[in-house]
């Protein structure tokens, strides 16, 4: 069973409004411009989501999603990814990078464009390693 308090806290942090509370699930509302959304979050492991009547909210103009999470970390991940659109952004950025590489390859008379790793300065000293790997080392 997921903690209703922890779920509510996370949803409120991401700008949702708290809706009705039921024994087996919570309801949260979000409005973004023209769109009105309702998320129903199941809190009981043995509860069947199919028994929820979504039409109550759909008749009010809400797009309704029922969400089942295994733990509070899954709740946080879903909210973060939904709020920041990470999946869409990653796909868009990768497609943009591929397009850039193709353009550069054409400019190089069809020679393959490759990123050339450069040096970086850390604590006033020039470094020659991979800057991304170094950042990961610092923060992990």
């Amino acid at each position: 069973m997921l903690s209703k308090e922890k779920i509510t806290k996370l949803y409120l942090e991401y700008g949702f409004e708290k809706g009705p509370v039921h024994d087996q699930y919570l309801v949260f509302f979000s409005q973004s411009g023209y769109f009105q959304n309702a998320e129903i979050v199941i809190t009981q492991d043995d509860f069947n989501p199919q028994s929820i009547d979504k039409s109550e909210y759909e008749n009010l103009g809400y797009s309704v999603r029922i969400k089942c999470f295994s733990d509070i970390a899954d709740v946080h991940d879903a909210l973060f990814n939904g709020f920041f659109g990470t999946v869409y952004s990653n796909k868009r950025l990768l497609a943009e990078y591929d397009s850039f590489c193709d353009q550069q390859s054409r400019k190089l008379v069809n020679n393959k464009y490759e990123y050339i790793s450069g040096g970086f300065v850390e604590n006033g000293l020039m470094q020659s390693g991979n800057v991304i790997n170094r950042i990961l080392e610092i923060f992990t």
Side-chain angles (χ1 to χ4, degrees), residues 5-126:
E5 293 79 21
K6 288 181 180 179
I7 293 171
T8 300
K9 183 176 186 257
L10 279 174
Y11 268 83
L12 293 176
E13 285 177 1
Y14 279 90
F16 283 80
E17 294 177 24
K18 187 176 177 182
V21 176
H22 301 270
D23 290 338
Q24 298 87 3
Y25 61 91
L26 301 168
V27 180
F28 297 96
F29 301 109
S30 171
Q31 184 163 347
S32 178
Y34 177 78
F35 302 101
Q36 297 182 98
N37 302 302
E39 285 206 4
I40 298 172
V41 181
I42 307 302
T43 57
Q44 295 284 350
D45 296 333
D46 59 349
F47 180 70
N48 179 4
Q50 302 301 325
S51 65
I52 298 173
D53 182 13
K54 299 189 314 183
S55 66
E56 174 185 352
Y57 304 108
E58 290 169 336
N59 291 338
L60 295 171
Y62 287 97
S63 172
V64 180
R65 292 191 313 180
I66 297 176
K67 306 291 277 187
C68 299
F69 299 106
S70 58
D71 57 33
I72 200 69
D74 285 346
V75 176
H76 186 264
D77 289 346
L79 289 168
F80 181 88
N81 291 334
F83 187 80
F84 291 105
T86 56
V87 172
Y88 171 75
S89 294
N90 286 345
K91 286 180 181 179
R92 183 182 52 79
L93 289 171
L94 286 172
E96 190 174 320
Y97 179 73
D98 288 342
S99 175
F100 173 80
C101 289
D102 290 343
Q103 288 175 359
Q104 296 307 312
S105 292
R106 283 192 299 276
K107 290 177 183 177
L108 295 170
V109 193
N110 292 324
N111 289 307
K112 185 178 179 188
Y113 168 81
E114 292 182 39
Y115 176 77
I116 300 172
S117 183
F120 63 96
V121 176
E122 179 180 4
N123 297 326
L125 301 173
M126 189 64 174

